[in-house]
Amino acid sequence: MFSRVFLFVLGAVYIINQVFTQDSYVAEVMVESNVSLDFLNLSTIFKTAAIDVTDSNGVTFIVTVTDSELIAECLVLGQEVHCNCSAGYTWSNEVCYANPDCCHDTTCSHNVSYVTPLCVPKVEVFINGTAESALPWVTTDNDMLVKEFGILNGLGSINITTISGNIANYEMDVYAPILVEKLEGILSNLSSQLVDIKIDLMGLVSVFAPVEPVCYKSKPLLMCSYEMATESTQWILRKPNEYLELDVGTVVQLEPDCATPQYPSCAAITLNKVTGIWIGEYECGFTQGLISFKGRTPLKLTLLPDYIDMTPNPIVTDCTAGGVASVTVTVTVPPSPDAYEVWWSYNGNRQNNIYHTSGPDPLIYTISAAITCEKTDAQYIEIFFKNIKEQVMSERLDITVLYDGDPFCEEKNVDGDFWPRSPYKATVVNKQCPVGRRGYKTHTCEGPLWQQVFNYCVDEKLLNILTSAENLLRGQDATVEGVMAIIQALRNVSSFSSDTSTNTADVNTSITVLMMLSKVSDRLILQDSVLTGLINVGSDLLNTAWTGVNDTVLEGMAGDYLEAMEALMERIKVNSSINNLEIIKQNLHFKLCVGWGCQVSVFDVNVTLNKAYGLSKVMAINNLMPKLSNTFLNTNYTNVLVSATLDRYHGGNNSHADIWLDFPVQDPSKPYCVFWNITTREWSDFGCVVVNRDENRTECACNHLTSFSVLMSKGDVSTKELDVLTNVGLAVSLCSLVLLLLIEYVVWAAVVRSNLSHFRHTAIVNISTFRLLADICFLASIFPKSLSDNWCLTLTLAKHLFYLAMFCWMMCLSIMLVHQLIFVFSPLRKRVFMFLSSIVGYLFPIIIVGSSYVYCKYKYKPYYDSDTCWLVFERLLEGSLHAFLIPVAVVILVNVFSLVVVIVTLVKTSVPDSGKAAENETAKGIIKVIVLLAPLFGVTWIIGFFLLILDHNNPVFPVANYAFTILNSFQGLFILIGGCIAEQKVREELIKRITGKSKASDSSKNLTSTTQTN
């Protein structure tokens, strides 16, 4: 007699307490019967029957079967058993590992009908890995792998390939669920026989990603999960011939833990603003011991161009003939599997759709536009790309147009590049670079003369390295190996030995790469194997002077270089056992400083560092100081810069370190110990002092670590004391001038009753007003870098005008006084004085300032310096500053002459009195005249001309500098005293106004002094 055992999978729907809440479950039901019962009959019975099911809590439910499937059948004939799984099912691990001959798609001869589960749905699991033997890989090693992995349940095929002498790759497929404990046992056995073995399992991890293509620059979420707890997680982006490990970056963002009790291993990332470089297959892996569990999913993206390059031909549209001119614009974009809708516009007016004229890599579009020669503010062409999700991207090209009558620069050829006639102030872009380079060149027209050509054509290999660094910063291949590969690639590109503008473009790109690596390194632990390559690259970059760029670009490059090198040095983990590590290159000298009070010497700079613990990295840099910005007082740079950092991995703490540096400086000028502030990009002496110096060396002490150097004074033009004096003097002057104007307003009617008094006080009020306005403008421009160009120009014009007006009214005052002394019986009439004074005091300054500005504008020369918001000095008798110096010099000469006339007149009037007392009175009178009239006549400014002549190392220079600062910053106070307080009438009237009393003597004086004015 024989019987059959059927195992069904049942889909059951049950209703609890006759309510309408329905839940679906899957159950296994084993039916044992004789041979006459077949599957179809059983299936019919299940579907028509309602089954009572009691759970573990004793609650009974009515279950209705909705679907059923046969998964296994066992035929038992006495002691003979034949069990088989249905199609799509295989033996469970419980069956296989208890009965090794029941592990594949074969009939099982054991009665396993009571094992739960008996058969399980087939899965697709792919296994691959590498195995390394101590000896060359041979056939017996293959046999060993086949034997060990052969016990896996559901093993399909296994393929082993030798990839080197002692390393082999193996691949296999498994269609039964993997029992991890069994696989770990297999790997444990193999590990005892091999040097190394690694294994990846694909198919057990669930990966979730958007099914449909996502929008361009959207933020898709990718998540993977696994039902077993693991040790670590890794995300990989797989592309053809690329295997990129993902980490946190500007695009890749890790999401909070998404693990659940059902899936204790879970990882999720968000890709921020995805572009075309993020298309590919994403692989998520969980690692447990020697096993990596992986899953993959593709990410599709609806593209827009990652870049749009627009090149006009000609690069300057010539409209000098009027009418209409034509220009052809070539547009280049990356290839795309999707078709774009493309159109363009001219000055905002949409034109027809266009189609690419060549491709597919890259796609090239051609625009032919008619440019109107009617003068407008700006003419531009804009191209638009729209994808299938209605997203639009555009790029605008401003057309450079030379109109009829515009000033221009003549066409010219420079190093084989043709530059056409171009309008004033236009910067022309030429995108033709030599073979092997990509980028552009710019040439700016400044009136009749062209400025220097700036070359931004970069070596294509360097641009590829830059792209790798950008991707690394975004989060692709953000590994220590990725950083090392980029540094080595930089080392292999060029030695940067030629001092040309082309070389400078390469240097600038390389520094940009280093800056990106420094940002990435903050998330990585760089090993000391990076050190030698980094120092080689850093030294090579300083081989040349970085010519062909303006000062702003040069100083930015130098600041970026120092910031990047300092950050990378700090983040390199150096082996603490290497006490004598030293690397010397042409421009960099590196030494490791270990222990308390460590002492090293780099490029003849002796460094002593006191710290509680940790490793210190000391690096001296040559050939960088001339490139860094230097606005510290009025100083010159020295040759060597020293950077000192503490190793962050060996107890480093930059806030608890004192450093002494002994620099070789052979300069008689005053030294300043300074450090480079990477935040403000300026030198500062905060926390640093000069502790000792002689004719050959300067010793500095600082209480923090960064980059240090010594700056030498050009002659103490500006010191802290001078700055304090200037600020205090200006404050006192402003208050004094405001007070003077208030006093004049109060006493004006009482003190201007004669022509002479009216002339004098009119001049003093104008001098005070213009000096007050000039000082206000001066204070408003003490931080020129924070001002816009328009404000800087406005303040320069205002200072030029107000200071000149002040000097012109000083000249009016002095000439009036001399006239009254010489022509005693021919006094000036008020109407004549006011007319002439208005011309000299108002009109002359306006004419001088206006004509100098127009002249500079017409000659295309700079009127002002944006770094100082003041006039420009080019050389002797050239530069807008002479429009100030020459008039001031003339005024001072006239006023000095007037002062001499006053003194001579004073001496002559005292000649009859030849006694001792008379001589003393004369001397006092002369001193009084000089003290009171010199500030009013602006004579003290003559010291400024001596400062221009004197050498800064002359011992007289500091004395003259202090005298000029004191006398002219406090000039407002001196004007108050000499022009107002010193006059008896003003004092008496002011006292009368304050006290409210009037003395009889005052009245009589006022009456007797009144004269006919006309």
Side-chain angles (χ1 to χ4, degrees), residues 662-676:
D662 185 14
F663 288 89
V665 179
Q666 296 181 353
D667 192 315
S669 303
K670 179 180 178 180
Y672 294 90
C673 295
V674 292
F675 77 94
W676 182 254

Side-chain angles (χ1 to χ4, degrees), residues 14-69:
Y14 63 87
I15 301 175
I16 304 176
N17 296 328
Q18 301 301 314
V19 297
F20 295 100
T21 302
Q22 298 181 344
D23 295 312
S24 297
Y25 291 90
V26 176
E28 288 186 0
V29 177
M30 185 182 71
V31 178
E32 186 174 357
S33 71
N34 58 29
V35 69
S36 61
L37 189 65
D38 59 18
F39 168 70
L40 292 176
N41 293 330
L42 288 173
S43 178
T44 302
I45 294 173
F46 285 136
K47 289 183 178 180
T48 58
I51 306 173
D52 292 339
V53 177
T54 303
D55 65 11
S56 58
N57 296 322
V59 180
T60 300
F61 303 96
I62 300 175
V63 176
T64 302
V65 177
T66 60
D67 195 13
S68 62
E69 181 181 3

Side-chain angles (χ1 to χ4, degrees), residues 938-960:
V939 176
T940 54
W941 284 70
I942 199 171
I943 303 174
F945 287 91
F946 286 108
L947 288 175
L948 294 175
I949 300 171
L950 286 174
D951 185 84
H952 292 174
N953 294 323
N954 191 312
V956 179
F957 185 86
V959 178

Side-chain angles (χ1 to χ4, degrees), residues 606 608 657-663 672-675 685-692 698-704 708-710:
N606 301 320
T608 302
D658 295 325
I659 186 170
W660 285 263
L661 304 104
D662 185 14
F663 288 89
Y672 294 90
C673 295
V674 292
F675 77 94
D685 61 353
F686 180 79
C688 294
V689 294
V690 177
V691 295
N692 190 23
T698 298
E699 184 177 352
C700 301
C702 298
N703 58 14
H704 54 82
F708 305 94
S709 190
V710 172

